[in-house]
Amino acid sequence: MTIEREIREHLRKEAETIECPPAISKRIERSYSQYLQRKRSEKPMKKRLIGGIVAVALLIPTAAFAAPTLIDMLTRTPMTAEQVKVDEVGKAALEKLYGAFPEAKSFEIVDASYLGGDATNSTQKQAIQTSIVLQEKGGTGKKIRLDINGITGVIEHVNQENWEPKEKPVISLTGQDIKAKVDNLITKMYGSIDHYEFRMEQMENSDQKTFMLNYSKKGAETPFYQAFVQGNAINVSLIGGEPTPSNPVKVEGFFSVNGKPDYTADSFLNDEKLFALLKMNPTELKQELAKGKSVAEIAASKNVSKQQVIDVIAKTQAEKEVEGAKVSKKQMEQLSKALEPKVLQVIEHKTETPW
């Protein structure tokens, strides 16, 4: 093991023992809970799990069911601008960006990294996710971040900052103009949105004015594209929500937030393999959670270890993430491993308000 890898592993272990001050944790959890309360089905989290939380964190403080940010940062491997330009995934993403915004060709790559894979593998073939940040020369102008699925090559998140004048940031525009800006970003990066249903709402974020915009296919509860606008930044995520099946096999509201179901937790816990492991149906699990128990505690009462629960959920989420893509067994194992901290947060969580 190289000295660099030894240091990184030591830092990762140290990060896992660090406890966030309760006051800060509560504030972060409250803010993130407000953000999550309208998520539906497994699709939203599926597209955000691998590094997407980092992109959203640029706009809204997050934590509730996200892996600890410090750990995520320490387990990512930095990339140089030269590596990005020759990496297959990075090169394709840059070509997409330059085609959408030709002016970005003059931007500098100010930060880049990848998650998963071997740090000694210069081609990053085993990378799960690649992130690239570009900025106008000088370091104070327009900035854009891309988070790319390292397995499928799909750009899952785009964060655009400072593309409006400082004296008139995007959040200060009218609702119609904000939508126009978001429409333009989605259209250029992903294609036409003419046939999508649209909904915009202001979030209950006391720290800073924030708008959430959802673009959905007709009949779908889960948005296909979701955007957040805050300050002078626009964050767009490709969710991929499809019309709801006529007989969906799931239960909503395993946990509640402000009296409403928390759909992000639902995306983890609506897992047939989990129900089989616990020998419970989803309704029974929901009833036990409503009593203030965590999934981990319920599992322990049935002589099921916490790691068994984590393995089942992480594997299911990994399979959803790479659905339709050809991946190796090693890549699946890496992806499942990367998901474990996030799964752990969910199964140790206890409902705040009986539902």
Side-chain angles (χ1 to χ4, degrees), residues 110-127:
V110 296
D111 188 29
S113 63
Y114 69 92
L115 177 67
D118 188 340
T120 62
N121 180 0
S122 61
T123 59
Q124 283 88 49
K125 288 182 179 179
Q126 300 298 318

Side-chain angles (χ1 to χ4, degrees), residues 6-19 68 70-71 74:
E6 288 182 0
I7 292 173
R8 188 168 59 254
E9 181 63 20
H10 173 72
L11 289 174
R12 184 188 68 78
K13 291 179 179 179
E14 287 296 315
E16 291 176 343
T17 66
I18 295 175
E19 292 186 7
L70 181 57
I71 295 177
L74 292 173

Side-chain angles (χ1 to χ4, degrees), residues 27-248:
R27 178 187 171 191
I28 292 174
E29 182 174 347
R30 183 173 62 253
S31 179
Y32 192 56
S33 294
Q34 291 169 351
Y35 154 64
L36 292 175
Q37 65 185 13
R38 299 190 188 281
K39 299 297 173 294
R40 298 178 183 272
S41 81
E42 70 279 357
K43 292 287 185 179
M45 202 60 183
K46 167 182 137 181
K47 295 298 183 182
R48 293 174 181 273
L49 286 172
I50 307 303
I53 295 300
V54 179
V56 178
L58 296 173
L59 296 177
I60 301 174
T62 64
F65 295 127
T69 304
L70 181 57
I71 295 177
D72 276 350
M73 290 171 63
L74 292 173
T75 56
R76 299 186 66 85
T77 303
M79 298 174 69
T80 64
E82 291 69 27
Q83 287 177 316
V84 172
K85 293 175 182 178
V86 298
D87 173 63
E88 184 177 342
V89 172
K91 184 178 179 180
L94 289 178
E95 289 177 355
K96 177 75 173 178
L97 174 65
Y98 297 153
F101 298 99
E103 63 189 292
K105 292 180 180 179
S106 65
F107 289 13
E108 296 178 308
I109 296 176
V110 296
D111 188 29
S113 63
Y114 69 92
L115 177 67
D118 188 340
T120 62
N121 180 0
S122 61
T123 59
Q124 283 88 49
K125 288 182 179 179
Q126 300 298 318
I128 295 170
Q129 190 243 18
T130 300
S131 296
I132 309 170
V133 181
L134 301 94
Q135 189 168 29
E136 280 185 316
K137 293 182 179 180
T140 59
K142 295 180 179 179
K143 189 175 183 179
I144 192 162
R145 174 187 175 119
L146 307 176
D147 289 304
I148 311 110
N149 187 309
I151 297 173
T152 64
V154 173
I155 298 175
E156 296 179 337
H157 314 279
V158 181
N159 191 72
Q160 191 183 66
E161 296 182 69
N162 304 325
W163 286 60
E164 297 301 313
K166 185 177 181 181
E167 60 274 12
K168 194 174 182 180
V170 62
I171 197 67
S172 68
L173 303 178
T174 65
Q176 183 177 357
D177 287 340
I178 289 176
K179 180 180 183 300
K181 298 294 181 182
V182 178
D183 286 355
N184 180 63
L185 178 56
I186 295 176
T187 300
K188 286 191 173 183
M189 292 301 298
Y190 297 106
S192 175
I193 54 174
D194 291 342
H195 301 293
Y196 287 87
E197 296 179 342
F198 168 78
R199 186 177 75 254
M200 177 178 179
E201 60 184 291
Q202 184 171 350
M203 298 183 62
E204 297 177 5
N205 183 4
S206 59
D207 296 325
Q208 197 170 6
K209 186 178 180 182
T210 305
F211 282 107
M212 178 172 67
L213 297 83
N214 288 324
Y215 297 77
S216 306
K217 288 186 176 182
K218 187 176 182 179
E221 292 185 341
T222 303
F224 199 89
Y225 301 108
Q226 186 170 70
F228 291 92
V229 177
Q230 188 180 78
N232 206 8
I234 300 173
N235 176 278
V236 171
S237 293
L238 171 63
I239 305 299
E242 300 292 341
T244 305
S246 56
N247 294 304

